[in-house]
Amino acid sequence: MRAKAFAPALGQGSPASTFRARPGFLHEMALRPSLYLMVLPGVLFFLIFNYLPMVGLAIAFVDYSPIAPFFGLGSRFVGFENFRFFFTSNEWSRITLNTFYLNALFISTGLITQMLLAVGLNEMRVQGVKRVSQTLMFLPNFISWTVVSVFSIALFSTNEGLINKFIMAFGGKSVNFYQTSSVWPGLLVALRLWKGAGFGTVIYLSTIAGISHEIYEAATIDGASRMGRIRYVTLPLLKTTTAILLIMSIGGIFNGDFGMIYALIGDNPMLRSTTDVIDTYVYRALRLNNDYGMSAAVGLFQSIMGFVFVVGANAIAKRLDSESALF
Amino acid sequence: MTRTIRLLCALLTASMLLAGFGGAASAEQPKQVTLEFLAPSPVSQVNDMDAVLAKVYEQTDPTLNVRINYTFTTFDDIGQKASLKMSSGEPLDFVFVAQWTTPSLAQMVSKGLLVNLDTYIESGEYPGLAQYFTGDLRDNNAVTDAAGETHLYALPFTNAYSGGGAIYYRKDLADKYGVEISDYDSLTAFFDAILENEPGVAPFSFLGSTDSINGTIADLYRSEAYTSQHNNFLVSDVSIVIGEDGKAYASRQVFPELDPEYWSRLPDYRKAEDPLLSYKLAREWYEKGYLESDLLSQKDYEGQFMAGRAASFPRAADTYMDTVARFKTAMPDAELGLFMTELGIRHGVDKASGSDFRAWNFGAIPTTSKNIDRTVGFLNWIFEDPANHDLLELGIEGKHWIAVGEHQYSYPEGIDLSQNYNFYGYVLTWNPLLVRDHADTPAFISEIYQKMRDPNFYYKRADAGFTFVTDTIKTEVAKINDLKSLKRAVENGVVEDYEGEMTKIQAQYEAAGYWVVVEEMERQFNEFLLENPYTGQ
């Protein structure tokens, strides 16, 4: 704005005036020092905790020894040798697909449930009920997966599990959950929703709170019912938030949730075909070797894939609706 | 700026001068240093540690003048914490290490992370260490380094030459149903009685999420204590058998009983058996309900037992007193029984039980330590006098414990055991020559301990002292590590068609490069046998 107003006075066309009309970055900083000072802690935070550690990616290309110079980065260079372990295994495509499939399930069911729960909560008229249900939905988020695993044993175990006791009480045959791999993607999704969906509604609730009342009033005057208002006002206005949440979660689509899967499944060979993800595979294969190089190589692979997917998802979002894109 | 630099220079000069004067002032008492010790422990803080250390310093100050700062961590992350501390340059002077830590003792040595203690012990300046870490204990616990030399890189802390495999069971229930457990048949009769009369109680619970039980079941079933032809064993998950020509053969089959070449080299009593005996028995136990249906997810088998949901569980006999104490708190009205599964000890037969004579716990000095001499000096002090050793292991005599003869101890009357000094000796002080047992240890347990501490009771396993070096095949080893747990479903009787499953697992192992590992193992083991020939044990 300023530059525009300024430019005619200097006379358009001359190179010098163009230069002055678009002040450089340093000039810009000098003009607004307090603003840049305010952004400094954030920039430093990301520089120190997110960018500086990237130097450690070099570990993926060396035969790591902790006493080598530069925190072990000076170990013997081995090129792509550390990647051989993962990419020459028979398992890598299956576990990569598993990781992708499970995360896609988690992300899609998670976003849909969160959105529906938020809309539902928003429509509740009795404040007391709303608060109680919100608290009950939030609580599971603070229980660790290790504790959830104890619950899950109490629920799913063959002889003493609550579900099997229930089935047997009605004359059914008990299900051996811990030996039936096909049921686990569903169980994992259910447990994850129970644990996380309530807490995930926060962002949606705040977006809904930001929707202007005038739009709802206008819709009501136009004769929209309650369902109509949800369908034609609330849900369309949640589109941008959903797209942003989706793009952010896609970044981690190749990172299996080790904490959850290892706590619930452990190293159960009978459940491997559907629950084995990159992170559990790496843990099993490398726990005994303590080879930092090989682990770092797999981590690098996951990050690159995550990066490609984020950029891809963002590009698609941008094409569909430029406001939904993250960058 | 210049002022700051000047100030820094002045401070630096002053501290250098002070350091110089300090050294010159007393030639006998060196400048005080704090030694950083890192070890795993079930408790994050040892009760009364400061009082005990104060007593230690009273004696060590004139000559060593050290302070000990112990950092305790958990068993599963001790290795990782140690290597992180070393790589980040944090001070670390003494670290707990073992063959089961990650990185393991052998891995640390091959990367040059640990100080060679032989040079110190052999120097003659450390008589305490030289007296207690010598002969077989030293030889059997030495490790081969990257240069191919074998040295003592870590002090072995052990009280016995095996843990003494055993099953702990509910003796009150066995008595109730009139079963006296003494062999395979009476054990299964006990299980049957539990299944019939105690709903909701599993006859036998074990760590099915990581362990396999078929080998133990087959040994229980055979029940004979053989004293020779121990020519087959598992090394790093490869089954090895030594033939009559004295050469090792590594089974090409993951389930070695299926490999005719392997089978033909086994002792006669084994060849007379059904090759799949152990798998059949495991399946039988599972089908009958002796084993828990969800055993593959069982992580807290001992908790099951202590909560009354299991009637027995496997655990080594060396933890008897500790287990009894916890059992008494958990189930005050019940009674605990112990049934030895280690056949040599159960039948009292010499040379029927094997040992590699290696300790299960070690302590070492990282090469990054700045206080190597002082640390060795402190370790030497512990073993210079049994009283020093007992002070660190049991606490202050009269306050924390009372000596009963030369080899036992008891607690002072009225002492609150939950507040008493509770240092775990396996991280610093255990030694077969310096053991004290609690005076209340029952006679039958003392007898078992006596055998476990007698090196002549055991035969030396043919693989004792062998380390499998995997540097050249680490990709294949990693891929195979991933598959190991697949075997568990078969070995624990969970799979109905176990023969079909064995074929599938074999195919997966072969695709992961199993034969590369097997052939390398066979080559390295045969090389090892040239120096350490099999003598028919």
Side-chain angles (χ1 to χ4, degrees):
Chain A
M1 283 296 244
R2 227 185 205 196
K4 244 184 194 169
F6 205 44
L10 286 166
Q12 278 177 334
S14 85
S17 68
T18 317
F19 177 73
R20 257 184 252 165
R22 286 193 202 149
F25 181 61
L26 286 178
H27 182 74
E28 162 79 14
M29 272 179 87
L31 272 179
R32 301 177 179 84
S34 51
L35 287 183
Y36 281 95
L37 211 60
M38 276 196 270
V39 89
L40 185 68
V43 171
L44 280 180
F45 176 87
F46 284 107
L47 212 61
I48 294 170
F49 293 105
N50 290 34
Y51 284 88
L52 203 60
M54 281 196 205
V55 178
L57 290 177
I59 288 177
F61 303 94
V62 299
D63 179 17
Y64 180 79
S65 163
I67 51 166
F70 307 112
F71 300 102
L73 293 178
S75 310
R76 189 171 62 89
F77 181 76
V78 292
F80 283 95
E81 179 63 27
N82 289 328
F83 290 80
R84 206 164 67 86
F85 134 76
F86 185 67
F87 291 105
T88 58
S89 77
N90 296 341
E91 309 286 310
W92 85 272
S93 48
R94 183 179 62 79
I95 52 170
T96 307
L97 265 179
N98 258 356
T99 315
F100 182 83
Y101 171 66
L102 281 179
N103 276 331
L105 270 184
F106 295 157
I107 294 171
S108 54
T109 55
L111 285 178
I112 293 170
T113 317
Q114 285 162 20
M115 196 191 312
L116 293 180
L117 285 177
V119 172
L121 278 174
N122 188 55
E123 294 297 323
M124 280 188 182
R125 291 288 170 258
V126 186
Q127 282 304 311
V129 179
K130 188 176 175 177
R131 287 213 186 105
V132 171
S133 28
Q134 209 166 347
T135 312
L136 286 178
M137 279 158 54
F138 271 41
L139 270 181
N141 182 60
F142 301 102
I143 303 172
S144 81
W145 282 118
T146 317
V147 178
V148 176
S149 78
V150 179
F151 295 168
S152 78
I153 288 171
L155 277 178
F156 304 129
S157 80
T158 312
N159 299 330
E160 300 297 311
L162 206 63
I163 294 178
N164 274 320
K165 280 197 166 166
F166 194 73
I167 294 174
M168 285 190 281
F170 285 95
K173 200 171 165 285
S174 70
V175 183
N176 202 331
F177 287 104
Y178 284 99
Q179 286 173 35
T180 316
S181 58
S182 58
V183 299
W184 279 91
L187 292 181
L188 291 177
V189 166
L191 284 168
R192 208 183 158 88
L193 286 180
W194 169 77
K195 187 165 149 33
F199 195 75
T201 57
V202 177
I203 294 176
Y204 279 113
L205 280 174
S206 64
T207 314
I208 294 174
I211 299 174
S212 162
H213 273 277
E214 287 168 17
I215 305 178
Y216 287 110
E217 275 164 26
T220 316
I221 292 166
D222 287 347
S225 65
R226 201 161 171 185
M227 283 311 286
R229 286 197 300 269
I230 294 175
R231 193 171 159 198
Y232 297 106
V233 179
T234 317
L235 291 181
L237 284 172
L238 289 178
K239 197 176 70 182
T240 313
T241 311
T242 309
I244 290 170
L245 286 177
L246 181 71
I247 294 170
M248 295 208 318
S249 32
I250 277 177
I253 202 158
F254 286 97
N255 296 330
D257 189 341
F258 181 80
M260 172 181 71
I261 292 177
Y262 208 74
L264 292 171
I265 312 282
D267 194 356
N268 186 335
M270 308 285 278
L271 305 181
R272 222 188 244 193
S273 56
T274 59
T275 60
D276 200 19
V277 294
I278 298 177
D279 301 72
T280 45
Y281 170 77
V282 169
Y283 178 74
R284 249 194 341 267
L286 300 181
R287 165 177 62 167
L288 303 168
N289 294 37
N290 197 54
D291 197 304
Y292 288 35
M294 289 184 184
S295 326
V298 179
L300 184 59
F301 164 69
Q302 288 175 303
S303 305
I304 290 173
M305 292 299 281
F307 178 73
V308 169
F309 269 71
V310 166
V311 173
N314 191 66
I316 293 170
K318 206 169 195 170
R319 182 163 286 189
L320 295 177
D321 169 19
S322 63
E323 274 189 18
S324 296
L326 206 57
F327 46 87
Chain B
M1 196 66 151
T2 3
R3 246 173 64 186
T4 325
I5 292 172
R6 258 189 228 151
L7 193 69
L8 274 175
C9 287
L11 276 173
L12 203 67
T13 323
S15 61
M16 281 162 79
L17 276 172
L18 276 174
F21 283 136
S26 65
E28 282 175 1
Q29 193 193 36
K31 207 182 117 209
Q32 191 174 87
V33 289
T34 299
L35 303 179
E36 296 292 338
F37 282 33
L38 179 69
S41 165
V43 292
S44 58
Q45 228 156 8
V46 174
N47 297 328
D48 247 359
M49 181 105 184
D50 290 343
V52 171
L53 283 179
K55 281 267 176 206
V56 171
Y57 301 148
E58 272 176 27
Q59 299 180 46
T60 55
D61 270 0
T63 50
L64 286 167
N65 203 17
V66 292
R67 291 291 173 268
I68 306 295
N69 185 27
Y70 245 115
T71 306
F72 293 112
T73 178
T74 56
F75 287 86
D76 53 346
D77 74 354
I78 173 72
Q80 216 157 50
K81 261 206 179 132
S83 52
L84 280 177
K85 270 179 188 280
M86 284 183 226
S87 67
S88 63
E90 264 187 64
L92 188 61
D93 301 299
F94 191 67
V95 63
F96 179 91
V97 61
Q99 54 275 53
W100 49 268
T101 55
T102 40
S104 67
L105 171 59
Q107 284 168 335
M108 282 195 169
V109 169
S110 78
K111 296 225 171 202
L113 300 178
L114 305 179
V115 170
N116 171 5
L117 298 173
D118 274 347
T119 39
Y120 291 88
I121 293 173
E122 285 159 11
S123 72
E125 283 177 50
Y126 303 98
L129 295 180
Q131 187 184 344
Y132 287 98
F133 297 94
T134 179
D136 285 345
L137 190 65
R138 183 225 160 261
D139 295 344
N140 294 322
N141 289 291
V143 184
T144 308
D145 58 24
E149 287 181 28
T150 305
H151 294 289
L152 191 70
Y153 279 94
L155 295 183
F157 300 129
T158 181
N159 273 349
Y161 297 102
S162 90
I167 291 176
Y168 288 77
Y169 65 95
R170 287 279 300 278
K171 187 154 190 320
D172 54 315
L173 291 181
D175 291 346
K176 187 172 156 192
Y177 302 116
V179 186
E180 195 184 327
I181 301 178
S182 58
D183 55 15
Y184 185 80
D185 291 337
S186 52
L187 180 71
T188 50
F190 171 65
F191 290 165
D192 287 330
I194 297 293
L195 278 177
E196 206 172 306
N197 304 302
E198 301 282 335
V201 179
F204 182 75
S205 183
F206 72 103
L207 190 61
S209 60
T210 60
D211 293 351
S212 293
I213 202 72
N214 63 322
T216 309
I217 300 177
D219 274 349
L220 282 168
Y221 180 82
R222 283 180 201 120
S223 186
E224 199 155 328
Y226 296 96
T227 53
S228 63
Q229 277 196 290
H230 299 285
N231 67 342
N232 59 95
F233 31 78
L234 202 65
V235 182
S236 300
D237 229 32
V238 175
S239 299
I240 291 181
V241 63
I242 302 173
E244 278 174 13
D245 56 357
K247 282 200 177 134
Y249 172 78
S251 169
R252 266 59 176 168
Q253 291 281 331
V254 179
F255 300 95
E257 297 86 351
L258 299 176
D259 182 347
E261 286 281 311
Y262 176 87
W263 191 252
S264 69
R265 289 166 169 86
L266 285 180
D268 292 339
Y269 75 89
R270 284 289 302 278
K271 280 193 279 195
E273 280 175 1
D274 175 353
L276 297 180
L277 174 74
S278 73
Y279 309 97
K280 276 190 182 148
L281 287 171
R283 183 65 195 160
E284 191 184 311
W285 278 39
Y286 187 78
E287 278 183 324
K288 283 190 173 169
Y290 296 167
L291 305 177
E292 295 166 287
S293 328
D294 299 325
L295 65 90
L296 293 175
S297 299
Q298 183 54 266
K299 291 178 195 161
D300 187 20
Y301 63 107
E302 202 183 318
Q304 290 280 94
F305 181 79
M306 296 292 176
R309 287 197 298 270
S312 65
F313 75 105
R315 198 161 205 250
D318 63 352
T319 60
Y320 182 80
M321 291 305 282
D322 189 37
T323 312
V324 168
R326 269 176 306 122
F327 182 73
K328 283 261 179 278
T329 322
M331 310 189 86
D333 301 326
E335 205 186 328
L336 188 70
L338 178 135
F339 172 55
M340 286 308 294
T341 51
E342 199 171 308
L343 296 167
I345 296 182
R346 194 202 304 165
H347 298 308
V349 178
D350 281 3
K351 308 291 181 191
S353 293
S355 173
D356 60 3
F357 296 98
R358 284 198 91 126
W360 195 238
N361 310 291
F362 295 80
I365 303 174
T367 39
T368 51
S369 165
K370 306 252 182 311
N371 305 302
I372 296 174
D373 289 351
R374 304 285 276 278
T375 311
V376 179
F378 179 73
L379 296 170
N380 178 62
W381 175 84
I382 300 174
F383 294 97
E384 238 174 5
D385 181 346
N388 298 352
H389 167 273
D390 291 347
L391 172 60
L392 267 166
E393 183 162 307
L394 296 165
I396 301 163
E397 199 180 342
K399 182 182 174 190
H400 299 122
W401 64 286
I402 299 167
V404 179
E406 243 182 90
H407 302 293
Q408 288 191 314
Y409 71 94
S410 69
Y411 294 115
E413 251 178 72
I415 197 169
D416 178 3
L417 279 180
S418 68
Q419 297 302 314
N420 202 31
Y421 182 66
N422 55 345
F423 184 73
Y424 286 82
Y426 52 74
V427 303
L428 187 67
T429 54
W430 274 13
N431 188 284
L433 299 173
L434 291 167
V435 187
R436 276 184 191 271
D437 286 323
H438 193 281
D440 289 347
T441 309
F444 81 100
I445 291 290
S446 294
E447 271 175 40
I448 292 174
Y449 285 177
Q450 231 171 358
K451 293 194 178 86
M452 281 161 47
R453 288 169 194 157
D454 175 9
N456 296 316
F457 175 73
Y458 293 93
Y459 70 83
K460 187 170 178 175
R461 290 174 48 136
D463 61 330
F466 173 73
T467 318
F468 187 35
V469 183
T470 57
D471 284 352
T472 53
I473 49 166
K474 61 182 184 176
T475 297
E476 285 76 16
V477 169
K479 287 198 268 185
I480 280 158
N481 279 342
D482 160 57
L483 299 174
K484 277 183 188 170
S485 58
L486 293 178
K487 287 162 63 184
R488 223 164 4 93
V490 172
E491 290 166 343
N492 289 327
V494 179
V495 187
E496 196 183 346
D497 174 24
Y498 51 87
E499 289 185 59
E501 190 67 18
M502 284 169 154
T503 318
K504 273 192 227 159
I505 295 173
Q506 175 69 20
Q508 279 176 282
Y509 264 73
E510 285 180 21
Y514 187 54
W515 287 16
V516 175
V517 178
V518 166
E519 278 160 17
E520 179 62 18
M521 170 69 87
E522 196 176 271
R523 189 190 66 75
Q524 287 187 25
F525 203 89
N526 274 319
E527 233 168 63
F528 168 80
L529 282 179
L530 292 178
E531 303 252 315
N532 310 272
Y534 173 64
T535 53
Q537 61 265 45

